[in-house]
Amino acid sequence: MGDKYKFTWKNIEKEYASFLDNGYEIITGEQYVKNKPNLPKKTVVNRIDIDFSVKKAAVLLDIFDKLRIKGTFFVRLHAPEYNPFSFENYRILKRLLNSGHELGYHSEIVDQSIIWNESAEECLKRDIAILSKMFNYDVKSVASHGGNTGFNNLDFWKDKKPKDFNLLYEGYDKEPNYNLFQESFYISDSEWTQWKCYNKGILQSGDRRSPSEHILDGHELIHLLIHPDTYFNNHFYE
């Protein structure tokens, strides 16, 4: 890329539109699991991690409604940055579900276990139950959050499987019914100011191309992870 990519709402809408213009079907993680043997020839699994702002996720919902696409949104329960059950955030998350998107849990169960001196297993069960009960929705997916505690929430899954907790999948699990990270071309904005990508689990060092640029390589299965917190109209701190 000649110019540094600008993470504006206008540009991310163009990225999604470019997938549709090039014949990709954009689906949720749940749809991926349930249709894995018979996926469309060109598929984007659309994952959104709400790390710091549910209100920014509402802007993304507007874009998805406009383009008529769905995604899987992972929400935190213990973030100091937001309360998912506040008046406005609850309203936005209910809108998300009413629009047909998937709601998953962005888990921090290793952090919880160490900070609170509680069982990580019980933390997970309790959080899934609370999130499901609050929205009258059967939460079936988890994606481990990487925060600033120095602990890796993915470590929990080294000797456990999502099905042990009545879940369809964890965001990076290698079970045959999922294994998305290892089987797809993965593109993420998780470095905030630049894109990164992995090809079937292998980092493509120095490749900072945007999703629409990767389309030219003809990948049939793309896993896109974005964070609403990254995007803006004019500048990052607006």
Side-chain angles (χ1 to χ4, degrees):
M1 286 172 55
D3 298 325
K4 191 173 181 64
Y5 187 87
K6 293 181 176 62
F7 285 87
T8 62
W9 293 114
K10 182 177 180 180
N11 281 342
I12 194 59
E13 180 176 338
K14 288 180 180 178
E15 297 294 336
Y16 279 105
S18 69
F19 282 127
L20 298 175
D21 292 342
N22 283 274
Y24 283 87
E25 185 166 335
I26 300 174
I27 66 174
T28 67
E30 180 180 10
Q31 290 173 318
Y32 170 74
V33 171
K34 292 183 175 179
N35 298 284
K36 188 173 181 182
N38 301 294
L39 291 172
K41 182 174 176 59
K42 300 170 76 174
T43 300
V44 176
V45 181
N46 187 24
R47 169 179 163 183
I48 304 96
D49 287 358
I50 306 177
D51 280 2
F52 301 119
S53 174
V54 175
K55 289 182 179 179
K56 278 200 167 187
V59 183
L60 202 54
L61 286 176
D62 291 337
I63 292 172
F64 288 176
D65 285 349
K66 179 179 178 181
L67 297 177
R68 298 183 180 179
I69 59 177
K70 305 302 179 188
T72 299
F73 290 76
F74 289 100
V75 62
R76 297 168 70 190
L77 289 188
H78 309 290
E81 293 85 5
Y82 69 81
N83 172 11
F85 306 139
S86 70
F87 289 113
E88 183 63 7
N89 289 343
Y90 179 86
R91 187 192 68 82
I92 292 168
L93 293 174
K94 285 290 287 187
R95 175 194 165 193
L96 182 159
L97 289 172
N98 291 336
S99 297
H101 301 282
E102 179 186 5
L103 181 65
Y105 173 41
H106 206 21
S107 66
E108 300 173 87
I109 49 180
V110 173
D111 296 329
Q112 292 168 241
S113 175
I114 293 171
I115 293 170
W116 297 342
N117 193 29
E118 295 182 1
S119 161
E121 289 89 343
E122 292 307 312
C123 287
L124 176 61
K125 293 175 183 177
R126 182 177 61 213
D127 286 350
I128 291 293
I130 289 171
L131 189 58
S132 297
K133 182 70 173 179
M134 194 68 182
F135 290 101
N136 192 29
Y137 173 82
D138 192 11
V139 174
K140 288 290 189 179
S141 56
V142 166
S144 300
H145 176 67
N148 297 318
T149 62
F151 306 119
N152 187 346
N153 289 293
L154 266 175
D155 286 346
F156 176 82
W157 298 101
K158 286 181 177 179
D159 59 353
K160 300 174 187 66
K161 301 181 187 302
K163 65 182 180 182
D164 298 337
F165 299 90
N166 199 31
L167 297 167
L168 280 178
Y169 66 93
E170 194 283 330
Y172 295 101
D173 86 62
K174 297 180 181 180
E175 291 299 291
N177 71 312
Y178 189 71
N179 201 33
L180 179 59
F181 185 66
Q182 302 296 328
E183 296 180 14
S184 67
F185 191 83
Y186 171 92
I187 311 169
S188 173
D189 64 6
S190 58
E191 292 188 355
W192 292 89
T193 60
Q194 59 191 7
W195 295 100
K196 69 176 180 180
C197 60
Y198 290 74
N199 190 13
K200 293 180 169 57
I202 300 174
L203 176 65
Q204 305 301 289
S205 182
D207 190 341
R208 305 301 183 182
R209 287 179 293 165
S210 69
S212 59
E213 293 175 299
H214 285 296
I215 289 174
L216 302 176
D217 294 336
H219 302 290
E220 294 185 355
L221 178 59
I222 292 176
H223 183 195
L224 179 65
L225 166 61
I226 71 165
H227 302 74
D229 322 283
T230 303
Y231 298 90
F232 51 83
N233 286 312
N234 298 299
H235 60 85
F236 185 82
Y237 293 106
E238 63 192 15

